[in-house]
Structure formats: C-alpha cells, structure tokens
mmCIF file of all heavy atoms in Angstrom:
data_model
loop_
_atom_site.group_PDB
_atom_site.id
_atom_site.type_symbol
_atom_site.label_atom_id
_atom_site.label_comp_id
_atom_site.label_asym_id
_atom_site.label_seq_id
_atom_site.Cartn_x
_atom_site.Cartn_y
_atom_site.Cartn_z
ATOM 1 N N CYS A 1 0.850 -1.189 0.000
ATOM 2 C CA CYS A 1 0.000 0.000 0.000
ATOM 3 C C CYS A 1 0.884 1.237 0.000
ATOM 4 O O CYS A 1 1.899 1.272 0.687
ATOM 5 C CB CYS A 1 -0.890 0.025 1.245
ATOM 6 S SG CYS A 1 -2.054 -1.338 1.311
ATOM 7 N N THR A 2 0.491 2.211 -0.798
ATOM 8 C CA THR A 2 1.235 3.472 -0.838
ATOM 9 C C THR A 2 0.252 4.620 -0.645
ATOM 10 O O THR A 2 -0.924 4.507 -1.001
ATOM 11 C CB THR A 2 1.967 3.661 -2.185
ATOM 12 O OG1 THR A 2 0.995 3.904 -3.207
ATOM 13 C CG2 THR A 2 2.809 2.456 -2.547
ATOM 14 N N PRO A 3 0.737 5.732 -0.107
ATOM 15 C CA PRO A 3 -0.129 6.898 0.042
ATOM 16 C C PRO A 3 -0.104 7.808 -1.190
ATOM 17 O O PRO A 3 -0.694 8.874 -1.182
ATOM 18 C CB PRO A 3 0.488 7.613 1.251
ATOM 19 C CG PRO A 3 1.940 7.306 1.133
ATOM 20 C CD PRO A 3 2.004 5.893 0.573
ATOM 21 N N SER A 4 0.567 7.368 -2.235
ATOM 22 C CA SER A 4 0.712 8.217 -3.413
ATOM 23 C C SER A 4 -0.636 8.561 -4.033
ATOM 24 O O SER A 4 -1.538 7.735 -4.083
ATOM 25 C CB SER A 4 1.608 7.536 -4.451
ATOM 26 O OG SER A 4 1.052 6.302 -4.836
ATOM 27 N N ALA A 5 -0.754 9.797 -4.497
ATOM 28 C CA ALA A 5 -1.972 10.246 -5.159
ATOM 29 C C ALA A 5 -1.916 9.807 -6.615
ATOM 30 O O ALA A 5 -0.991 10.150 -7.344
ATOM 31 C CB ALA A 5 -2.093 11.759 -5.062
ATOM 32 N N VAL A 6 -2.886 9.028 -7.034
ATOM 33 C CA VAL A 6 -2.918 8.479 -8.387
ATOM 34 C C VAL A 6 -3.922 9.265 -9.224
ATOM 35 O O VAL A 6 -5.106 9.288 -8.906
ATOM 36 C CB VAL A 6 -3.305 6.985 -8.364
ATOM 37 C CG1 VAL A 6 -3.360 6.418 -9.763
ATOM 38 C CG2 VAL A 6 -2.344 6.204 -7.494
ATOM 39 N N PRO A 7 -3.454 9.913 -10.303
ATOM 40 C CA PRO A 7 -4.382 10.672 -11.146
ATOM 41 C C PRO A 7 -5.116 9.771 -12.134
ATOM 42 O O PRO A 7 -4.632 8.708 -12.506
ATOM 43 C CB PRO A 7 -3.451 11.631 -11.896
ATOM 44 C CG PRO A 7 -2.176 10.848 -12.020
ATOM 45 C CD PRO A 7 -2.078 10.042 -10.739
ATOM 46 N N ASP A 8 -6.277 10.226 -12.549
ATOM 47 C CA ASP A 8 -7.043 9.557 -13.596
ATOM 48 C C ASP A 8 -6.446 10.020 -14.924
ATOM 49 O O ASP A 8 -6.664 11.150 -15.345
ATOM 50 C CB ASP A 8 -8.510 9.947 -13.493
ATOM 51 C CG ASP A 8 -9.383 9.300 -14.557
ATOM 52 O OD1 ASP A 8 -8.846 8.842 -15.588
ATOM 53 O OD2 ASP A 8 -10.606 9.274 -14.359
ATOM 54 N N VAL A 9 -5.693 9.159 -15.592
ATOM 55 C CA VAL A 9 -5.002 9.556 -16.821
ATOM 56 C C VAL A 9 -5.952 9.714 -18.004
ATOM 57 O O VAL A 9 -5.562 10.272 -19.027
ATOM 58 C CB VAL A 9 -3.852 8.586 -17.190
ATOM 59 C CG1 VAL A 9 -2.828 8.509 -16.076
ATOM 60 C CG2 VAL A 9 -4.385 7.207 -17.540
ATOM 61 N N LEU A 10 -7.178 9.264 -17.870
ATOM 62 C CA LEU A 10 -8.159 9.411 -18.948
ATOM 63 C C LEU A 10 -9.037 10.651 -18.783
ATOM 64 O O LEU A 10 -9.752 11.026 -19.707
ATOM 65 C CB LEU A 10 -9.041 8.167 -19.047
ATOM 66 C CG LEU A 10 -8.324 6.876 -19.435
ATOM 67 C CD1 LEU A 10 -9.306 5.710 -19.437
ATOM 68 C CD2 LEU A 10 -7.633 7.009 -20.776
ATOM 69 N N SER A 11 -8.974 11.265 -17.629
ATOM 70 C CA SER A 11 -9.782 12.446 -17.356
ATOM 71 C C SER A 11 -9.055 13.702 -17.828
ATOM 72 O O SER A 11 -7.838 13.817 -17.671
ATOM 73 C CB SER A 11 -10.048 12.548 -15.857
ATOM 74 O OG SER A 11 -10.567 13.803 -15.518
ATOM 75 N N SER A 12 -9.783 14.652 -18.368
ATOM 76 C CA SER A 12 -9.172 15.908 -18.801
ATOM 77 C C SER A 12 -8.677 16.730 -17.611
ATOM 78 O O SER A 12 -7.792 17.558 -17.752
ATOM 79 C CB SER A 12 -10.159 16.725 -19.635
ATOM 80 O OG SER A 12 -11.309 17.018 -18.868
ATOM 81 N N THR A 13 -9.238 16.482 -16.425
ATOM 82 C CA THR A 13 -8.816 17.211 -15.234
ATOM 83 C C THR A 13 -7.720 16.492 -14.460
ATOM 84 O O THR A 13 -7.076 17.086 -13.615
ATOM 85 C CB THR A 13 -9.999 17.447 -14.280
ATOM 86 O OG1 THR A 13 -10.467 16.176 -13.817
ATOM 87 C CG2 THR A 13 -11.109 18.215 -14.959
ATOM 88 N N GLY A 14 -7.526 15.199 -14.734
ATOM 89 C CA GLY A 14 -6.510 14.428 -14.015
ATOM 90 C C GLY A 14 -6.832 14.273 -12.547
ATOM 91 O O GLY A 14 -5.934 14.191 -11.714
ATOM 92 N N GLY A 15 -8.117 14.239 -12.221
ATOM 93 C CA GLY A 15 -8.535 14.100 -10.827
ATOM 94 C C GLY A 15 -7.897 12.895 -10.152
ATOM 95 O O GLY A 15 -7.553 11.908 -10.799
ATOM 96 N N VAL A 16 -7.733 12.980 -8.854
ATOM 97 C CA VAL A 16 -7.086 11.916 -8.084
ATOM 98 C C VAL A 16 -8.075 10.774 -7.847
ATOM 99 O O VAL A 16 -9.210 10.988 -7.440
ATOM 100 C CB VAL A 16 -6.562 12.460 -6.745
ATOM 101 C CG1 VAL A 16 -6.033 11.338 -5.868
ATOM 102 C CG2 VAL A 16 -5.469 13.488 -6.996
ATOM 103 N N ILE A 17 -7.609 9.561 -8.130
ATOM 104 C CA ILE A 17 -8.406 8.347 -7.922
ATOM 105 C C ILE A 17 -8.279 7.875 -6.480
ATOM 106 O O ILE A 17 -9.230 7.425 -5.872
ATOM 107 C CB ILE A 17 -7.937 7.226 -8.881
ATOM 108 C CG1 ILE A 17 -8.183 7.615 -10.320
ATOM 109 C CG2 ILE A 17 -8.610 5.916 -8.541
ATOM 110 C CD1 ILE A 17 -7.540 6.682 -11.324
ATOM 111 N N GLY A 18 -7.083 7.950 -5.939
ATOM 112 C CA GLY A 18 -6.809 7.463 -4.585
ATOM 113 C C GLY A 18 -5.362 7.048 -4.488
ATOM 114 O O GLY A 18 -4.539 7.424 -5.321
ATOM 115 N N GLY A 19 -5.040 6.249 -3.486
ATOM 116 C CA GLY A 19 -3.685 5.729 -3.343
ATOM 117 C C GLY A 19 -3.479 4.534 -4.244
ATOM 118 O O GLY A 19 -4.431 3.964 -4.768
ATOM 119 N N ARG A 20 -2.225 4.157 -4.453
ATOM 120 C CA ARG A 20 -1.927 2.995 -5.290
ATOM 121 C C ARG A 20 -1.557 1.821 -4.386
ATOM 122 O O ARG A 20 -0.642 1.899 -3.581
ATOM 123 C CB ARG A 20 -0.771 3.289 -6.239
ATOM 124 C CG ARG A 20 -0.417 2.056 -7.080
ATOM 125 C CD ARG A 20 0.527 2.341 -8.211
ATOM 126 N NE ARG A 20 -0.128 3.245 -9.140
ATOM 127 C CZ ARG A 20 0.439 4.368 -9.600
ATOM 128 N NH1 ARG A 20 1.627 4.713 -9.227
ATOM 129 N NH2 ARG A 20 -0.220 5.134 -10.445
ATOM 130 N N HIS A 21 -2.306 0.733 -4.559
ATOM 131 C CA HIS A 21 -2.069 -0.482 -3.791
ATOM 132 C C HIS A 21 -1.910 -1.646 -4.756
ATOM 133 O O HIS A 21 -2.640 -1.729 -5.744
ATOM 134 C CB HIS A 21 -3.234 -0.759 -2.845
ATOM 135 C CG HIS A 21 -3.652 0.430 -2.046
ATOM 136 N ND1 HIS A 21 -2.775 1.155 -1.277
ATOM 137 C CD2 HIS A 21 -4.851 1.042 -1.921
ATOM 138 C CE1 HIS A 21 -3.414 2.153 -0.703
ATOM 139 N NE2 HIS A 21 -4.681 2.114 -1.088
ATOM 140 N N LEU A 22 -0.973 -2.520 -4.468
ATOM 141 C CA LEU A 22 -0.798 -3.736 -5.258
ATOM 142 C C LEU A 22 -1.683 -4.804 -4.645
ATOM 143 O O LEU A 22 -1.553 -5.137 -3.466
ATOM 144 C CB LEU A 22 0.662 -4.184 -5.261
ATOM 145 C CG LEU A 22 0.985 -5.428 -6.081
ATOM 146 C CD1 LEU A 22 0.650 -5.225 -7.567
ATOM 147 C CD2 LEU A 22 2.455 -5.802 -5.921
ATOM 148 N N LEU A 23 -2.618 -5.313 -5.447
ATOM 149 C CA LEU A 23 -3.603 -6.288 -4.981
ATOM 150 C C LEU A 23 -3.383 -7.640 -5.646
ATOM 151 O O LEU A 23 -2.778 -7.718 -6.715
ATOM 152 C CB LEU A 23 -5.013 -5.781 -5.288
ATOM 153 C CG LEU A 23 -5.370 -4.401 -4.730
ATOM 154 C CD1 LEU A 23 -6.738 -3.961 -5.236
ATOM 155 C CD2 LEU A 23 -5.324 -4.392 -3.220
ATOM 156 N N THR A 24 -3.927 -8.669 -5.026
ATOM 157 C CA THR A 24 -3.805 -10.023 -5.562
ATOM 158 C C THR A 24 -4.983 -10.884 -5.136
ATOM 159 O O THR A 24 -5.668 -10.584 -4.161
ATOM 160 C CB THR A 24 -2.488 -10.688 -5.092
ATOM 161 O OG1 THR A 24 -2.326 -11.940 -5.764
ATOM 162 C CG2 THR A 24 -2.475 -10.914 -3.588
ATOM 163 N N ASP A 25 -5.147 -11.948 -5.892
ATOM 164 C CA ASP A 25 -6.101 -12.991 -5.505
ATOM 165 C C ASP A 25 -5.342 -14.277 -5.183
ATOM 166 O O ASP A 25 -5.902 -15.347 -5.085
ATOM 167 C CB ASP A 25 -7.141 -13.233 -6.597
ATOM 168 C CG ASP A 25 -6.534 -13.713 -7.903
ATOM 169 O OD1 ASP A 25 -5.308 -13.936 -7.978
ATOM 170 O OD2 ASP A 25 -7.297 -13.863 -8.872
ATOM 171 N N GLY A 26 -4.029 -14.151 -5.051
ATOM 172 C CA GLY A 26 -3.178 -15.300 -4.776
ATOM 173 C C GLY A 26 -2.552 -15.879 -6.027
ATOM 174 O O GLY A 26 -1.616 -16.661 -5.954
ATOM 175 N N GLU A 27 -3.061 -15.481 -7.179
ATOM 176 C CA GLU A 27 -2.527 -15.956 -8.449
ATOM 177 C C GLU A 27 -2.167 -14.806 -9.391
ATOM 178 O O GLU A 27 -1.140 -14.843 -10.027
ATOM 179 C CB GLU A 27 -3.539 -16.892 -9.122
ATOM 180 C CG GLU A 27 -3.786 -18.165 -8.321
ATOM 181 C CD GLU A 27 -4.834 -19.047 -8.960
ATOM 182 O OE1 GLU A 27 -4.706 -19.367 -10.154
ATOM 183 O OE2 GLU A 27 -5.795 -19.415 -8.251
ATOM 184 N N TRP A 28 -3.028 -13.823 -9.510
ATOM 185 C CA TRP A 28 -2.815 -12.659 -10.370
ATOM 186 C C TRP A 28 -2.521 -11.438 -9.517
ATOM 187 O O TRP A 28 -2.904 -11.373 -8.346
ATOM 188 C CB TRP A 28 -4.062 -12.383 -11.218
ATOM 189 C CG TRP A 28 -4.256 -13.314 -12.372
ATOM 190 C CD1 TRP A 28 -4.671 -14.612 -12.323
ATOM 191 C CD2 TRP A 28 -4.064 -13.014 -13.757
ATOM 192 N NE1 TRP A 28 -4.749 -15.134 -13.593
ATOM 193 C CE2 TRP A 28 -4.391 -14.164 -14.490
ATOM 194 C CE3 TRP A 28 -3.661 -11.867 -14.441
ATOM 195 C CZ2 TRP A 28 -4.320 -14.216 -15.878
ATOM 196 C CZ3 TRP A 28 -3.595 -11.910 -15.822
ATOM 197 C CH2 TRP A 28 -3.910 -13.079 -16.522
ATOM 198 N N LEU A 29 -1.882 -10.442 -10.141
ATOM 199 C CA LEU A 29 -1.590 -9.164 -9.495
ATOM 200 C C LEU A 29 -2.223 -8.036 -10.292
ATOM 201 O O LEU A 29 -2.324 -8.119 -11.518
ATOM 202 C CB LEU A 29 -0.078 -8.922 -9.457
ATOM 203 C CG LEU A 29 0.777 -9.946 -8.724
ATOM 204 C CD1 LEU A 29 2.253 -9.689 -9.005
ATOM 205 C CD2 LEU A 29 0.501 -9.888 -7.232
ATOM 206 N N TRP A 30 -2.619 -6.956 -9.610
ATOM 207 C CA TRP A 30 -3.116 -5.742 -10.269
ATOM 208 C C TRP A 30 -3.014 -4.583 -9.286
ATOM 209 O O TRP A 30 -2.928 -4.780 -8.074
ATOM 210 C CB TRP A 30 -4.551 -5.907 -10.761
ATOM 211 C CG TRP A 30 -5.575 -6.163 -9.699
ATOM 212 C CD1 TRP A 30 -6.329 -5.241 -9.020
ATOM 213 C CD2 TRP A 30 -5.970 -7.439 -9.175
ATOM 214 N NE1 TRP A 30 -7.155 -5.849 -8.129
ATOM 215 C CE2 TRP A 30 -6.963 -7.199 -8.204
ATOM 216 C CE3 TRP A 30 -5.585 -8.758 -9.439
ATOM 217 C CZ2 TRP A 30 -7.564 -8.236 -7.486
ATOM 218 C CZ3 TRP A 30 -6.183 -9.777 -8.731
ATOM 219 C CH2 TRP A 30 -7.159 -9.516 -7.765
ATOM 220 N N TYR A 31 -3.010 -3.377 -9.826
ATOM 221 C CA TYR A 31 -3.004 -2.184 -8.981
ATOM 222 C C TYR A 31 -4.429 -1.693 -8.778
ATOM 223 O O TYR A 31 -5.296 -1.850 -9.642
ATOM 224 C CB TYR A 31 -2.130 -1.085 -9.583
ATOM 225 C CG TYR A 31 -0.658 -1.326 -9.343
ATOM 226 C CD1 TYR A 31 0.159 -1.822 -10.340
ATOM 227 C CD2 TYR A 31 -0.096 -1.074 -8.091
ATOM 228 C CE1 TYR A 31 1.507 -2.059 -10.109
ATOM 229 C CE2 TYR A 31 1.250 -1.307 -7.853
ATOM 230 C CZ TYR A 31 2.045 -1.798 -8.858
ATOM 231 O OH TYR A 31 3.372 -2.025 -8.628
ATOM 232 N N SER A 32 -4.653 -1.071 -7.635
ATOM 233 C CA SER A 32 -5.996 -0.663 -7.220
ATOM 234 C C SER A 32 -6.662 0.322 -8.174
ATOM 235 O O SER A 32 -7.892 0.339 -8.274
ATOM 236 C CB SER A 32 -5.951 -0.070 -5.814
ATOM 237 O OG SER A 32 -4.994 0.984 -5.747
ATOM 238 N N ASP A 33 -5.909 1.128 -8.892
ATOM 239 C CA ASP A 33 -6.548 2.087 -9.800
ATOM 240 C C ASP A 33 -7.207 1.406 -10.990
ATOM 241 O O ASP A 33 -8.055 1.996 -11.659
ATOM 242 C CB ASP A 33 -5.577 3.174 -10.255
ATOM 243 C CG ASP A 33 -4.317 2.655 -10.908
ATOM 244 O OD1 ASP A 33 -3.939 1.495 -10.676
ATOM 245 O OD2 ASP A 33 -3.685 3.433 -11.647
ATOM 246 N N LEU A 34 -6.893 0.150 -11.234
ATOM 247 C CA LEU A 34 -7.521 -0.585 -12.326
ATOM 248 C C LEU A 34 -9.042 -0.659 -12.136
ATOM 249 O O LEU A 34 -9.802 -0.589 -13.107
ATOM 250 C CB LEU A 34 -6.918 -1.992 -12.427
ATOM 251 C CG LEU A 34 -7.319 -2.825 -13.625
ATOM 252 C CD1 LEU A 34 -6.945 -2.137 -14.934
ATOM 253 C CD2 LEU A 34 -6.673 -4.200 -13.542
ATOM 254 N N VAL A 35 -9.480 -0.750 -10.885
ATOM 255 C CA VAL A 35 -10.916 -0.792 -10.588
ATOM 256 C C VAL A 35 -11.606 0.439 -11.170
ATOM 257 O O VAL A 35 -12.664 0.335 -11.799
ATOM 258 C CB VAL A 35 -11.165 -0.856 -9.060
ATOM 259 C CG1 VAL A 35 -12.642 -0.773 -8.748
ATOM 260 C CG2 VAL A 35 -10.555 -2.099 -8.461
ATOM 261 N N HIS A 36 -11.001 1.597 -10.986
ATOM 262 C CA HIS A 36 -11.571 2.855 -11.467
ATOM 263 C C HIS A 36 -11.773 2.821 -12.978
ATOM 264 O O HIS A 36 -12.827 3.210 -13.478
ATOM 265 C CB HIS A 36 -10.655 4.015 -11.068
ATOM 266 C CG HIS A 36 -11.055 5.318 -11.652
ATOM 267 N ND1 HIS A 36 -12.055 6.096 -11.111
ATOM 268 C CD2 HIS A 36 -10.594 5.982 -12.737
ATOM 269 C CE1 HIS A 36 -12.193 7.186 -11.844
ATOM 270 N NE2 HIS A 36 -11.317 7.151 -12.836
ATOM 271 N N TYR A 37 -10.772 2.355 -13.700
ATOM 272 C CA TYR A 37 -10.858 2.352 -15.166
ATOM 273 C C TYR A 37 -11.895 1.361 -15.688
ATOM 274 O O TYR A 37 -12.585 1.640 -16.661
ATOM 275 C CB TYR A 37 -9.477 2.093 -15.772
ATOM 276 C CG TYR A 37 -8.526 3.218 -15.456
ATOM 277 C CD1 TYR A 37 -7.446 3.024 -14.605
ATOM 278 C CD2 TYR A 37 -8.733 4.484 -15.977
ATOM 279 C CE1 TYR A 37 -6.591 4.067 -14.298
ATOM 280 C CE2 TYR A 37 -7.888 5.539 -15.669
ATOM 281 C CZ TYR A 37 -6.818 5.325 -14.821
ATOM 282 O OH TYR A 37 -5.981 6.364 -14.516
ATOM 283 N N VAL A 38 -12.026 0.233 -15.027
ATOM 284 C CA VAL A 38 -13.045 -0.739 -15.438
ATOM 285 C C VAL A 38 -14.434 -0.204 -15.099
ATOM 286 O O VAL A 38 -15.349 -0.256 -15.930
ATOM 287 C CB VAL A 38 -12.802 -2.118 -14.783
ATOM 288 C CG1 VAL A 38 -13.949 -3.075 -15.068
ATOM 289 C CG2 VAL A 38 -11.478 -2.712 -15.258
ATOM 290 N N GLU A 39 -14.584 0.349 -13.910
ATOM 291 C CA GLU A 39 -15.897 0.819 -13.459
ATOM 292 C C GLU A 39 -16.380 2.065 -14.205
ATOM 293 O O GLU A 39 -17.552 2.162 -14.558
ATOM 294 C CB GLU A 39 -15.836 1.110 -11.960
ATOM 295 C CG GLU A 39 -17.160 1.494 -11.352
ATOM 296 C CD GLU A 39 -17.079 1.581 -9.838
ATOM 297 O OE1 GLU A 39 -16.038 2.034 -9.296
ATOM 298 O OE2 GLU A 39 -18.065 1.200 -9.191
ATOM 299 N N HIS A 40 -15.483 3.002 -14.466
ATOM 300 C CA HIS A 40 -15.900 4.284 -15.058
ATOM 301 C C HIS A 40 -15.730 4.370 -16.569
ATOM 302 O O HIS A 40 -16.432 5.147 -17.217
ATOM 303 C CB HIS A 40 -15.152 5.431 -14.386
ATOM 304 C CG HIS A 40 -15.525 5.574 -12.948
ATOM 305 N ND1 HIS A 40 -16.659 6.218 -12.527
ATOM 306 C CD2 HIS A 40 -14.916 5.114 -11.825
ATOM 307 C CE1 HIS A 40 -16.738 6.154 -11.215
ATOM 308 N NE2 HIS A 40 -15.690 5.493 -10.764
ATOM 309 N N TYR A 41 -14.797 3.594 -17.121
ATOM 310 C CA TYR A 41 -14.527 3.666 -18.555
ATOM 311 C C TYR A 41 -14.766 2.332 -19.259
ATOM 312 O O TYR A 41 -14.497 2.212 -20.443
ATOM 313 C CB TYR A 41 -13.082 4.123 -18.797
ATOM 314 C CG TYR A 41 -12.796 5.502 -18.253
ATOM 315 C CD1 TYR A 41 -12.126 5.666 -17.044
ATOM 316 C CD2 TYR A 41 -13.187 6.646 -18.951
ATOM 317 C CE1 TYR A 41 -11.846 6.925 -16.545
ATOM 318 C CE2 TYR A 41 -12.906 7.908 -18.460
ATOM 319 C CZ TYR A 41 -12.246 8.045 -17.257
ATOM 320 O OH TYR A 41 -11.972 9.305 -16.770
ATOM 321 N N HIS A 42 -15.226 1.342 -18.511
ATOM 322 C CA HIS A 42 -15.536 0.023 -19.075
ATOM 323 C C HIS A 42 -14.331 -0.576 -19.807
ATOM 324 O O HIS A 42 -14.470 -1.217 -20.849
ATOM 325 C CB HIS A 42 -16.748 0.098 -20.004
ATOM 326 C CG HIS A 42 -17.874 0.888 -19.439
ATOM 327 N ND1 HIS A 42 -18.591 0.468 -18.338
ATOM 328 C CD2 HIS A 42 -18.396 2.093 -19.809
ATOM 329 C CE1 HIS A 42 -19.513 1.375 -18.050
ATOM 330 N NE2 HIS A 42 -19.417 2.370 -18.921
ATOM 331 N N VAL A 43 -13.145 -0.355 -19.251
ATOM 332 C CA VAL A 43 -11.915 -0.834 -19.872
ATOM 333 C C VAL A 43 -11.926 -2.359 -19.944
ATOM 334 O O VAL A 43 -12.205 -3.037 -18.954
ATOM 335 C CB VAL A 43 -10.685 -0.317 -19.091
ATOM 336 C CG1 VAL A 43 -9.409 -1.048 -19.475
ATOM 337 C CG2 VAL A 43 -10.530 1.181 -19.317
ATOM 338 N N ALA A 44 -11.630 -2.859 -21.133
ATOM 339 C CA ALA A 44 -11.546 -4.311 -21.352
ATOM 340 C C ALA A 44 -10.216 -4.825 -20.796
ATOM 341 O O ALA A 44 -9.172 -4.214 -21.012
ATOM 342 C CB ALA A 44 -11.654 -4.615 -22.838
ATOM 343 N N LEU A 45 -10.290 -5.934 -20.090
ATOM 344 C CA LEU A 45 -9.089 -6.526 -19.499
ATOM 345 C C LEU A 45 -8.686 -7.800 -20.231
ATOM 346 O O LEU A 45 -9.456 -8.347 -21.029
ATOM 347 C CB LEU A 45 -9.335 -6.839 -18.021
ATOM 348 C CG LEU A 45 -9.646 -5.641 -17.128
ATOM 349 C CD1 LEU A 45 -9.823 -6.104 -15.681
ATOM 350 C CD2 LEU A 45 -8.570 -4.575 -17.223
ATOM 351 N N ASP A 46 -7.514 -8.269 -19.911
ATOM 352 C CA ASP A 46 -6.982 -9.514 -20.467
ATOM 353 C C ASP A 46 -8.034 -10.613 -20.316
ATOM 354 O O ASP A 46 -8.486 -10.894 -19.201
ATOM 355 C CB ASP A 46 -5.708 -9.866 -19.684
ATOM 356 C CG ASP A 46 -5.060 -11.165 -20.100
ATOM 357 O OD1 ASP A 46 -5.772 -12.144 -20.422
ATOM 358 O OD2 ASP A 46 -3.822 -11.211 -20.090
#
C-alpha cells in the first residue's frame, strides 16, 4: 500500500483516484486504480 496520489489519466482534469495499492487474488496481481478504469470507462481486461 502506498499513500501516493494516483491521477485519472483518462480524465481531462486528471482528478485523483486514490492511493496505489498492489492487490492479488493469490494468483494474479493488479493495482488498485484498475478498478476505477473498469468501473468508469468500461476498460476491457486480459
């Protein structure tokens, strides 16, 4: 977990999404800001 402010790189304002955390399900890894992009921009994943 980090306290770093993560900007929304797809937003014209670059608003802050939150901190950056490395998450896992025990097999795969992803960063917490990925949730934002899937939820708000319907980003297709692997």
Side-chain angles (χ1 to χ4, degrees):
C1 296
T2 70
S4 59
V6 179
D8 180 341
V9 301
L10 296 178
S11 167
S12 60
T13 64
V16 173
I17 296 170
R20 178 169 296 130
H21 312 306
L22 181 61
L23 304 174
T24 187
D25 62 4
E27 296 177 53
W28 284 74
L29 301 170
W30 62 92
Y31 282 102
S32 54
D33 56 338
L34 188 59
V35 175
H36 173 81
Y37 295 112
V38 173
E39 185 172 37
H40 294 279
Y41 298 101
H42 315 293
V43 166
L45 298 182
D46 178 323

